[in-house]
Amino acid sequence: MNLHEYQGKQILASHGVRVQRGIVANNAAEAVAAAKELTAETGTEWYVVKAQIHAGGRGKGGGVKLAKNLQQVEEIAGQIIGMDLITPQTPPTGKKVHKVLIAEDVYYPGESETSEFYMSVLLNRGKGRNMIMYSTEGGMDIEEVAEKTPHLIFTEEIDPAVGLQGFQARRIAFNLGLSGNAFKEMVKFVDSLYTAYVQSDSSLFEINPVLKTSDNKILAVDAKVVLDDNALYRQKEYADMRDVREENPIEVEAKEVGLNYVDLDGTVGCMVNGAGLAMATMDLIKYAGFEPANFLDVGGTADAKRVETAFRIILRDPNVKAILINIFGGIVRCDRVAQGVVDAYKNMGDSIKVPIIVRLQGTNADIAKELIDNSGMPILSATLFQEAADQVKNALS
């Protein structure tokens, strides 16, 4: 589950991580009030107005701007709120901005130059360990840094049995070229950041940039946080932070009815039981020369009601030109699935305007094929994997 920057900073601050302070606003008037409150709390005279959407690269699209007085805060907030912000990480149409974060200015003059670093905490799945990735090249796209200057990216792997060790936090501060109070601040920052990551059951914490201020404080200027959906049952206060306006509406609907659905860019809709078979089915579609329009796992139950719900969700994608149903009948019998498909097709009437290809294997597969072939419905049946691929190819040729 993705969080907004201001929500991620709330989690960081609750675990002792120093952050760039800010107040969220839903309109221009609230933005001005937030700026006044921020000045009273921090003494800041300049403000950073930041669009709050689930995407990076906001500054490149005009979603992060500096305001030097309250009038500019009102003007900039009014411009950003309601805009369709387009960044390298949004769809071509962009994402609508519903709120902004009014943040304090942390690039003030002082005894030393400011420095920006990159830091993230994530899981190294290959080694089964958490990993801190960091770089001296903060404020830039980390992908660009990895491509052009890979030697400037460092990693620190953490044994889950013992957790982050003091020498590891000190090594990070040393590799970032820090000394004196900034070194001590970075060690504390790294320790608190890792604690926040573990205790919030996150799958990603990305801070870009981590800032060394002119008075040698270390703080998070930005925060990209992704929580592990599987752990939300024990993080109920974080589950309430979900903003469904930022999510694909089809995926939201599917989740509400208990379907595992991921929207993709292709033209062949998939309805499958089991994640492994779903992945193989998407490979099959690509092998046939097409692209899958979705990942949809109906699970162990594939009765008429569930199949009909899956049909309706798949058909909400206007790019779908055909639907491939690929079910292995183990827990659920193939004939029951076939009957569910036929009943769902009858219930939906003329709303299905694309070819349906059904491949059933397993318990009572022969009966299932007979049911579909004799249903009188324009449903194409297949028995073999390759046969299903050929049916898709013929239907879309």
Side-chain angles (χ1 to χ4, degrees):
M1 184 180 85
N2 293 316
L3 297 183
H4 288 294
E5 174 192 350
Y6 77 93
Q7 295 169 324
K9 284 181 174 177
Q10 288 173 11
I11 295 176
L12 288 170
S14 70
H15 289 89
V17 179
R18 192 194 302 271
V19 301
Q20 177 194 37
R21 290 166 292 183
I23 300 170
V24 72
N26 297 293
N27 53 57
E30 287 185 14
V32 172
K36 291 179 180 178
E37 184 179 344
L38 204 56
T39 297
E41 291 179 2
T42 70
T44 188
E45 297 180 353
W46 290 4
Y47 316 91
V48 186
V49 184
K50 298 182 172 185
Q52 297 299 284
I53 61 169
H54 290 173
R58 292 168 295 166
K60 294 179 180 179
V64 179
K65 293 184 177 180
L66 179 66
K68 298 183 178 180
N69 52 55
L70 294 178
Q71 183 179 347
Q72 289 185 2
V73 168
E74 183 175 21
E75 291 173 355
I76 294 171
Q79 293 167 5
I80 293 178
I81 295 174
M83 74 181 292
D84 291 318
L85 181 57
I86 300 174
T87 82
Q89 296 183 19
T90 65
T93 54
K95 281 192 170 185
K96 185 171 288 295
V97 180
H98 298 283
K99 58 184 70 177
V100 293
L101 179 65
I102 309 301
E104 64 176 328
D105 172 32
V106 289
Y107 289 83
Y108 45 80
E111 61 193 60
S112 64
E113 292 292 325
T114 59
S115 299
E116 293 182 330
F117 310 111
Y118 170 90
M119 189 170 296
S120 62
V121 189
L122 63 160
L123 174 63
N124 183 333
R125 296 183 182 276
K127 296 188 176 181
R129 294 186 172 196
N130 289 326
M131 177 175 71
I132 298 179
M133 181 183 298
Y134 59 103
S135 174
T136 55
E137 305 304 293
M140 296 176 58
D141 292 333
I142 195 63
E143 295 82 5
E144 184 179 340
V145 177
E147 180 181 353
K148 296 182 179 178
T149 53
H151 62 283
L152 296 179
I153 295 180
F154 303 90
T155 58
E156 195 71 44
E157 292 185 354
I158 299 152
D159 186 336
V162 296
L164 177 69
Q165 298 297 289
F167 76 89
Q168 293 178 298
R170 291 191 293 273
R171 182 158 59 198
I172 291 172
F174 177 80
N175 286 339
L176 292 174
L178 298 174
S179 59
N181 189 62
F183 183 97
K184 296 176 183 177
E185 283 266 323
M186 180 59 77
V187 170
K188 180 182 176 182
F189 181 92
V190 171
D191 184 67
S192 299
L193 174 63
Y194 186 75
T195 299
Y197 170 82
V198 172
Q199 294 191 3
S200 63
D201 284 315
S202 294
S203 59
L204 173 69
F205 260 103
E206 185 177 58
I207 316 298
N208 190 20
V210 175
L211 179 70
K212 182 196 81 67
T213 64
S214 59
D215 52 357
N216 293 313
K217 295 186 178 76
I218 302 295
L219 55 86
V221 175
D222 195 6
K224 178 180 180 180
V225 176
V226 181
L227 301 178
D228 184 350
D229 289 359
N230 297 313
L232 288 178
Y233 72 94
R234 61 186 182 193
Q235 302 286 0
K236 297 193 184 329
E237 70 276 23
Y238 298 152
D240 293 338
M241 292 180 173
R242 184 183 183 198
D243 187 351
V244 296
R245 294 176 300 185
E246 291 291 316
E247 300 178 22
N248 184 306
I250 306 178
E251 293 182 5
V252 172
E253 180 183 342
K255 190 169 186 177
E256 289 175 351
V257 295
L259 294 173
N260 296 314
Y261 178 94
V262 178
D263 194 34
L264 300 173
D265 297 328
T267 58
V268 181
C270 303
M271 188 190 307
V272 189
N273 66 333
L277 184 58
M279 298 299 289
T281 302
M282 291 193 293
D283 287 343
L284 176 75
I285 291 169
K286 291 180 72 70
Y287 181 74
F290 301 96
E291 294 291 331
N294 64 269
F295 169 103
L296 193 153
D297 177 7
V298 295
T301 305
D303 55 24
K305 184 177 180 182
R306 195 170 181 81
V307 170
E308 183 175 339
T309 302
F311 270 144
R312 294 189 186 280
I313 287 172
I314 291 173
L315 291 171
R316 283 192 58 187
D317 182 350
N319 295 322
V320 170
K321 306 303 180 188
I323 298 176
L324 173 58
I325 302 173
N326 193 7
I327 302 290
F328 176 75
I331 298 174
V332 58
R333 297 194 330 248
C334 289
D335 56 317
R336 294 189 63 182
V337 176
Q339 191 62 56
V341 171
V342 171
D343 291 346
Y345 202 107
K346 289 178 179 177
N347 291 339
M348 295 183 69
D350 295 333
S351 59
I352 300 179
K353 301 182 184 300
V354 299
I356 307 292
I357 298 95
V358 180
R359 185 244 179 187
L360 299 170
Q361 273 290 2
T363 307
N364 291 350
D366 52 342
I367 301 174
K369 189 175 189 311
E370 196 174 316
L371 272 169
I372 290 174
D373 291 342
N374 296 330
S375 66
M377 301 287 107
I379 305 172
L380 304 173
S381 66
T383 303
L384 303 176
F385 234 148
Q386 185 58 53
E387 185 184 357
D390 292 339
Q391 293 273 31
V392 170
K393 196 169 185 177
N394 293 337
L396 295 179
S397 297

